Amino acid sequence: MGERVQNRAPDNRPYFFLSYAHTPQWSPDSGDPDHWVRVLFNDLCSHIMALTDLPAGSQAGFMDREMRSGEGWPEKLSENLASCRVFVPLFSPRYFVSEMCGREWYAFHERMLNARTTGTATASAIVPALWTRVDMGELPDSVRRIHVEDTSSGGRYLSSGIYGLIKLSRLRDEYDETVYGLAERIVQAARESRLPPGRPRDYESTPSAFKPRGSGPRHIRLTVAAPTEDTVPPARDTGPYGDDALDWNPYQTESTRALSTHAEELIRSLDYRVSVVAFDDENPGDETPASGDRQPGVLLVDQWALTDEERRSRLKTFDAYARPWVSAIVPRCRADLQNHGEQGRRLAEELERVMPTILERARRGDARLAVNGVPTLKAFTRVLPDVVAYTTRQYLKNAEVRLPPGPDIPRPRLADPYQPSDPDAGDEPGGDA
């Protein structure tokens, strides 16, 4: 045991990434509006250096400070999001309307999902903290499952946040207790998750996890068209399939989980609500299955699903009736040699004949990469947010506005201020009485 520890390479990565919404300066001489955030950051770093074996000179945490005014700050931001062990968002009303904070959350959460999918990490590495009081019922859907833990015994933390504790000298002891408890939670989360480093994500192309209110529909229908282990053709490898179409895992060399599970969590992290259904189970008696009348939809389609004649016919009908806000993604794993053999090539050509409408729409729009055969799980993870955004835009552009049921009431009109109340009166505006 001692020999393994001795030979293990030291891990000097930052323990935490502090994500916070910058407070605007309210006057030229008001000083640094984020001064107290820096105090919190320094206190956390001091505690973590005491609680861990990080060597002298190591970076205990990361805070962007004033990087946005210098060159290369997006790259530095992305590098630290890809290497830090724990993500610490400071909850405040301003936090959830910040696009920068939403991008930071999404980039880290995507890294966690990738690690969970490959089996290299399972526990959450997000440890939220309350900077000010927030209404938990108003949080975006993408963060509601993240629990805020009270690390103090005085009870003021949940009602006032760290900012309230740090500003009142009489609550200094409770502030110290809260921050020390938060540092302990960070160290514990780092040990439990053991989140490996990831590859830095391009900041400019990173979507926000906090969808602005009023920016379109918040519900996506995710449909999976794939065979099961029992319905694949005899020559097809059954490894990617399970008892249900939702078990389909086309990237089994990279992932230990079903693709629908990975896709659902990614879409939720974009602040959408998701319903996941198997194509074979959806409206089997309907001639227009999953045609997208009610909400935007994304179809994950396995080209091997076309080997079943009935399913192929239903996919053709699906394509004919699909609304413009229904998109498709065609995973075609690069490592799956059967996808690139003779039968795989024939099925790819057959897919073009069965679903010409959806495929052509995608190629004319912003989702062409999604239908040309997504080769890896990493490529799928990057293309899915683009497809969701494209699908939502198409819904806003093409969906009919449906008025609520009720009588048809004429639109009210403003009366001409110079129009006499009695149409028979001969008085002119401004005339003598």
Side-chain angles (χ1 to χ4, degrees):
M1 177 75 72
E3 184 178 355
R4 278 203 303 270
V5 173
Q6 184 177 3
N7 293 335
R8 187 176 62 194
D11 186 355
N12 297 335
R13 292 179 297 147
Y15 260 81
F16 70 100
F17 182 108
L18 188 65
S19 175
Y20 67 102
H22 289 253
T23 303
Q25 202 167 18
W26 57 272
S27 75
D29 56 350
S30 61
D32 180 8
D34 295 316
H35 165 75
W36 295 110
V37 178
R38 297 189 185 203
V39 172
L40 168 64
F41 175 78
N42 291 332
D43 289 343
L44 282 173
C45 288
S46 297
H47 289 318
I48 286 174
M49 290 299 292
L51 293 170
T52 66
D53 60 355
L54 280 175
S58 297
Q59 190 179 8
F62 175 83
M63 174 183 173
D64 73 351
R65 298 181 184 268
E66 297 302 326
M67 282 199 318
R68 285 189 283 183
S69 60
E71 294 183 2
W73 72 262
E75 292 78 10
K76 190 70 173 176
L77 204 69
S78 297
E79 289 170 5
N80 280 274
L81 282 168
S83 62
C84 67
R85 312 180 200 209
V86 175
F87 184 74
V88 181
L90 286 187
F91 283 11
S92 69
R94 197 180 298 278
Y95 187 84
F96 299 105
V97 296
S98 166
E99 183 177 0
M100 181 177 179
C101 294
R103 289 185 179 189
E104 291 170 356
W105 183 294
Y106 183 85
F108 189 86
H109 191 263
E110 180 188 74
R111 179 182 155 205
M112 272 202 328
L113 287 184
N114 288 337
R116 189 179 303 165
T117 298
T118 57
T120 54
T122 54
S124 174
I126 297 179
V127 178
L130 288 180
W131 181 240
T132 60
R133 183 176 181 177
V134 296
D135 184 351
M136 295 300 178
E138 295 296 321
L139 295 183
D141 290 341
S142 54
V143 306
R144 287 191 181 182
R145 298 184 182 185
I146 304 296
H147 177 64
V148 177
E149 184 174 332
D150 189 353
T151 58
S152 71
S153 58
R156 291 293 189 94
Y157 169 59
L158 293 181
S159 62
S160 303
I162 293 176
Y163 180 75
L165 301 180
I166 201 173
K167 289 291 289 181
L168 298 177
S169 57
R170 62 186 175 84
L171 298 178
R172 179 70 195 188
D173 288 345
E174 191 164 345
Y175 167 79
D176 290 338
E177 181 184 2
T178 298
V179 177
Y180 181 75
L182 179 59
E184 287 186 312
R185 283 284 297 113
I186 292 170
V187 174
Q188 180 185 4
R191 290 173 179 168
E192 291 177 351
S193 68
R194 298 190 179 276
L195 184 65
R199 181 174 296 181
R201 201 187 201 286
D202 177 59
Y203 177 80
E204 298 301 330
S205 66
T206 301
S208 172
F210 311 144
K211 190 165 178 283
R213 295 193 180 277
S215 60
R218 298 169 62 87
H219 200 143
I220 295 288
R221 189 176 190 84
L222 184 69
T223 306
V224 180
T228 64
E229 189 176 19
D230 296 331
T231 60
V232 294
R236 174 60 173 154
D237 177 20
T238 59
Y241 306 100
D243 296 333
D244 190 276
L246 300 184
D247 298 329
W248 176 44
N249 179 13
Y251 306 110
Q252 57 178 335
T253 57
E254 303 175 70
S255 171
T256 60
R257 301 195 304 166
L259 186 63
S260 62
T261 302
H262 184 68
E264 179 183 4
E265 293 188 5
L266 273 175
I267 296 174
R268 288 190 191 281
S269 70
L270 290 166
D271 200 16
Y272 285 86
R273 298 173 185 176
V274 192
S275 56
V276 184
V277 295
F279 181 78
D280 288 354
D281 297 338
E282 189 174 56
N283 300 328
D286 190 349
E287 293 185 357
T288 61
S291 57
D293 287 329
R294 297 172 298 278
Q295 61 206 21
V298 176
L299 174 71
L300 305 183
V301 56
D302 177 18
Q303 63 186 24
W304 294 89
L306 301 176
T307 57
D308 180 84
E309 184 177 353
E310 180 183 354
R311 189 186 297 117
R312 185 169 63 248
S313 175
R314 292 188 66 233
L315 280 170
K316 192 173 184 64
T317 304
F318 173 96
D319 179 78
Y321 285 90
R323 304 297 188 185
W325 52 86
V326 175
S327 300
I329 303 180
V330 183
R332 193 174 293 133
C333 180
R334 178 187 298 156
D336 188 341
L337 298 181
Q338 287 187 320
N339 278 332
H340 309 288
E342 183 179 351
Q343 187 175 5
R345 288 191 293 269
R346 286 202 307 266
L347 288 174
E349 295 170 357
E350 182 68 12
L351 184 63
E352 299 286 338
R353 290 190 290 269
V354 170
M355 302 183 62
T357 305
I358 292 178
L359 299 184
E360 181 58 27
R361 282 177 186 162
R363 290 175 180 137
R364 290 199 311 263
D366 300 334
R368 61 182 65 87
L369 295 178
V371 296
N372 288 339
V374 183
T376 64
L377 181 64
K378 178 184 175 182
F380 177 89
T381 301
R382 295 298 171 93
V383 80
L384 180 60
D386 295 336
V387 172
V388 170
Y390 171 75
T391 302
T392 303
R393 288 196 302 272
Q394 291 302 305
Y395 183 87
L396 292 173
K397 180 180 178 181
N398 295 284
E400 295 181 0
V401 177
R402 296 184 179 180
L403 298 176
D408 186 12
I409 302 175
R411 179 181 299 178
R413 297 178 180 274
L414 293 175
D416 185 344
Y418 298 109
Q419 183 70 27
S421 56
D422 183 358
D424 298 326
D427 296 339
E428 295 292 336
D432 295 334

